[in-house]
Amino acid sequence: MSFAATLKRAFFHERYSRPDALPRSLIERFVAMPRLTGILPYVGWLPDERMFVLDQGGFGTTEQFSIGFAIEVAPQTGATDEMEKILASLFISCPAKTGIQVSLYASPDISRTLQAQTALIKNEELIGIAERRNKYYQSGTGKSLLANNTCLLRDFRCVISVSLPLSPFAPTEVEEAIRTRESIHATLRSAYLDGFDWTPDHLLNFVGDFFDHERVFNSDTNAFNTDARDKLVVKYNPDRIIREQLSNHEIASCVSDQGIRFCKSGGKETVMQLFSVRNYPKISRLNHMGSMIGDPYQTALSMPCPFLITMGAIVQDHESARTYTQMKSARATQNAASYMARFQPDLQDRKRDWDFVLKTFDEGKSTLRMYHQICLLSTVEDASRAEHAVKAVWRARGYDITRDYYLQHQAFASSLPMTLGRPMQQDLDTFGRVYTKTLDNAVMTSPLIAEWKGTKTPLITLFGRRGQIMAFDLFDNTGGNYNFAVAALSGSGKSVFVNEMAYRYHAAGSKVWIIDV
């Protein structure tokens, strides 16, 4: 060991040592040490109302709780002007101080679709082929199956979570929360984003990926060993606090300059890197958010690891926000007309921005406080490559992102669903990590766009340019026309695809005729 490495271990143990490399004398103190899950607000579940009880940071003094819920939707493949106008209602229908988060998770868990495809096979002699193919696909969730390009197989999941400043113990406020949820459901259905409400099982297994990284980086094992998979699934226990069920005594974590490092049972070390948006582009549309998961044409702009993108918005009181905007607009107008405006051209830009914000109030809209958070999961060896990749992808669209040095815990908590309650809102405001934006800004930068997931029956499994697994079946067409044609360049795989399609239908028990001249 070098002299520099010895000094690092001696004086900066928490930054340069393995997270599980602790002296035996400290093991007795583990019980008194705060757990990483302690920063999460998840407390309880209201089964009749299908709402979550969230902790508001009483911490031993006066306990305070609020209500939260989460809706998972299928990401859209594009956006129209009408869709953008409809989604603005998401923020209008909520009371002041409500925290709304839109999260897009590139999950490596594609096993459900693959297992559903295997279940469709009626010919037992062909099941072995399907299992070997699925195992090969599963290996592509951890490393690229292409020799010269980066393309990980994944399933994009979009979650819209809401933290309401309402008490779960006041019947009138619970009824208001239910009305708010139904209003959001109606808005999402109007934008073709119909979804379902989360239960504690959905929450635990979504957030569990960011604590137990064995659930994410398991491509080296047999992913279709049902017993092994069941051990990693977290099942809700109503007798325990929800956040405590995310704790695992086999997992050690520590904060370093690079991020939050994890290690389970002395195994391979992983790292969670956190980034936030510092400056936004001048022009952005909702359709542009489809490029935030990687460019569909440039393989150099691709994401080489699982990631989570979160847009958080804090709803403000309309009258208070209008008064604040008028004051800022008047000050910006005064500065733009001053003598110093000759030497500071940005003063004119500020005036124009605040005039535009003031105009949004005349249209019946308001402002909100907004932030964007990006969370990357990777091995220590791939951490640097993942960092360069995410910066290249976001900067290609005009976003200036920065690593969250020394604020990893706050950044991590603000990335997860239903964490934008009053305590987190105050923390983000104190550290200057939220920005005043219009409702349209929040809609245009919501991570609601990904790749097509296909039809409902996974008879054939295909993958998108960014790795999204797609289910496909000709007979899912409700219009009744089951004809299709394949067109591509010579040698690009038309015959292979048609032959695979014939094999899949034959394996599912269909009758197949091939006429080849």
Side-chain angles (χ1 to χ4, degrees):
M1 182 181 296
S2 65
F3 179 70
T6 304
L7 290 179
K8 288 179 179 180
R9 289 179 61 87
F11 294 100
F12 300 100
H13 177 275
E14 69 281 2
R15 294 187 183 179
Y16 296 98
S17 297
R18 289 176 57 88
D20 57 348
L22 293 174
R24 183 178 294 273
S25 60
L26 297 180
I27 293 181
E28 304 84 49
R29 299 173 58 186
F30 279 171
V31 178
M33 292 176 62
R35 299 179 183 177
L36 185 59
T37 55
I39 63 177
L40 303 179
Y42 315 133
V43 177
W45 168 248
L46 303 176
D48 295 333
E49 296 81 6
R50 302 182 66 81
M51 296 278 189
F52 290 91
V53 178
L54 306 179
D55 185 7
Q56 294 299 287
F59 297 114
T61 56
T62 302
E63 293 185 348
Q64 300 174 358
F65 300 97
S66 65
I67 302 175
F69 61 87
I71 304 171
E72 182 167 348
V73 300
Q76 275 287 1
T77 58
T80 62
D81 294 342
E82 182 183 2
M83 179 180 174
E84 294 171 348
K85 294 177 181 178
I86 292 174
L87 290 175
S89 301
L90 287 176
F91 309 95
I92 298 176
S93 60
C94 296
K97 303 302 180 182
T98 297
I100 301 176
Q101 294 165 284
V102 182
S103 303
L104 183 66
Y105 176 34
S107 172
D109 183 14
I110 62 174
S111 60
R112 288 182 297 176
T113 303
L114 297 180
Q115 290 175 349
Q117 192 276 326
T118 305
L120 296 173
I121 298 177
K122 307 299 182 183
N123 192 336
E124 296 183 359
E125 297 178 356
L126 301 178
I127 292 180
I129 298 177
E131 291 178 346
R132 289 193 296 271
R133 179 182 59 246
N134 291 346
K135 186 176 180 180
Y136 174 73
Y137 285 159
Q138 189 70 33
S139 67
T141 61
K143 61 181 180 180
S144 177
L145 299 180
L146 305 178
N148 300 319
N149 299 322
T150 300
C151 182
L152 298 183
L153 308 185
R154 49 176 63 112
D155 181 27
F156 288 102
R157 301 178 59 186
C158 184
V159 181
I160 300 174
S161 59
V162 179
S163 302
L164 295 166
L166 303 174
S167 173
F169 308 114
T172 56
E173 297 189 7
V174 172
E175 292 177 0
E176 182 181 352
I178 294 175
R179 288 194 297 267
T180 302
R181 182 180 61 188
E182 295 306 317
S183 175
I184 291 178
H185 269 296
T187 301
L188 294 176
R189 283 193 295 268
S190 300
Y192 306 102
L193 287 167
D194 195 12
F196 62 91
D197 296 327
W198 263 10
T199 64
D201 288 330
H202 293 108
L203 175 64
L204 289 171
N205 287 282
F206 184 95
V207 179
D209 284 3
F210 300 91
F211 286 91
D212 187 357
H213 294 179
E214 185 182 353
R215 298 162 52 94
V216 178
F217 302 102
N218 59 358
S219 58
D220 297 332
T221 62
N222 182 5
F224 289 90
N225 185 338
T226 306
D227 295 335
R229 263 203 173 274
D230 289 342
K231 293 180 181 178
L232 299 177
V233 173
V234 183
K235 296 183 179 180
Y236 171 60
N237 182 359
D239 297 328
R240 296 180 60 196
I241 295 177
I242 293 179
R243 64 184 172 210
E244 293 181 354
Q245 300 178 44
L246 293 166
S247 300
N248 192 327
H249 296 289
E250 297 179 355
I251 301 173
S253 64
C254 72
V255 178
S256 66
D257 293 343
Q258 191 178 33
I260 303 178
R261 294 184 294 149
F262 292 81
C263 186
K264 184 175 182 180
S265 302
K268 194 172 184 179
E269 192 172 359
T270 57
V271 62
M272 176 191 298
Q273 301 181 87
L274 298 144
F275 303 85
S276 58
V277 175
R278 181 168 52 187
N279 293 312
Y280 292 86
K282 292 184 177 180
I283 300 176
S284 182
R285 300 300 296 268
L286 179 57
N287 193 48
H288 297 165
M289 292 304 294
S291 299
M292 299 297 99
I293 62 175
D295 193 282
Y297 303 106
Q298 302 182 54
T299 56
L301 297 176
S302 59
M303 303 290 281
C305 64
F307 60 91
L308 175 68
I309 302 172
T310 298
M311 187 284 298
I314 304 171
V315 179
Q316 295 183 294
D317 178 70
H318 183 83
E319 294 302 326
S320 299
R322 185 184 183 92
T323 302
Y324 176 79
T325 301
Q326 290 174 339
M327 294 175 55
K328 298 292 288 187
S329 179
R331 182 61 177 170
T333 301
Q334 181 182 9
N335 292 335
S338 65
Y339 179 79
M340 292 301 296
R342 302 178 182 181
F343 309 100
Q344 292 180 286
D346 63 308
L347 293 179
Q348 294 292 340
D349 296 336
R350 294 182 185 179
K351 176 186 181 303
R352 184 178 63 251
D353 290 343
W354 282 109
D355 288 344
F356 177 79
V357 173
L358 193 60
K359 184 180 178 181
T360 61
F361 284 93
D362 298 333
E363 299 174 354
K365 299 180 182 179
S366 181
T367 59
L368 42 75
R369 303 281 280 170
M370 187 180 74
Y371 71 92
H372 278 76
Q373 198 72 53
I374 306 104
C375 175
L376 306 181
L377 299 179
S378 67
T379 60
V380 176
E381 297 78 14
D382 296 334
S384 179
R385 185 165 67 98
E387 176 186 359
H388 292 305
V390 69
K391 288 183 177 179
V393 169
W394 282 71
R395 287 175 179 172
R397 277 297 179 187
Y399 291 82
D400 182 17
I401 67 172
T402 179
R403 181 192 290 275
D404 293 314
Y405 286 104
Y406 311 116
L407 291 173
Q408 288 94 335
H409 283 161
Q410 185 191 74
F412 174 43
S414 62
S415 299
L416 300 178
M418 289 186 297
T419 56
L420 195 53
R422 291 288 292 131
M424 180 58 70
Q425 294 175 18
Q426 295 171 359
D427 285 351
L428 293 173
D429 189 65
T430 300
F431 285 90
R433 289 164 52 81
V434 286
Y435 307 93
T436 301
K437 302 291 181 181
T438 64
L439 297 184
D440 291 335
N441 294 146
V443 172
M444 302 301 181
T445 57
S446 296
L448 292 166
I449 310 298
E451 291 191 299
W452 187 47
K453 293 195 174 188
T455 63
K456 63 181 181 179
T457 307
L459 190 77
I460 301 172
T461 46
L462 305 173
F463 294 91
R465 292 175 180 264
R466 273 76 62 88
Q468 171 64 54
I469 187 170
M470 300 179 184
F472 181 70
D473 185 3
L474 292 172
F475 297 97
D476 282 342
N477 183 13
T478 56
N481 189 343
Y482 309 126
N483 300 321
F484 79 102
V486 181
L489 297 174
S490 178
S492 58
K494 297 186 299 296
S495 300
V496 173
F497 173 70
V498 175
N499 184 67
E500 180 70 13
M501 178 176 289
Y503 153 73
R504 296 290 186 95
Y505 278 105
H506 174 63
S510 303
K511 292 184 178 180
V512 181
W513 291 268
I514 298 177
I515 303 173
D516 189 354
V517 298

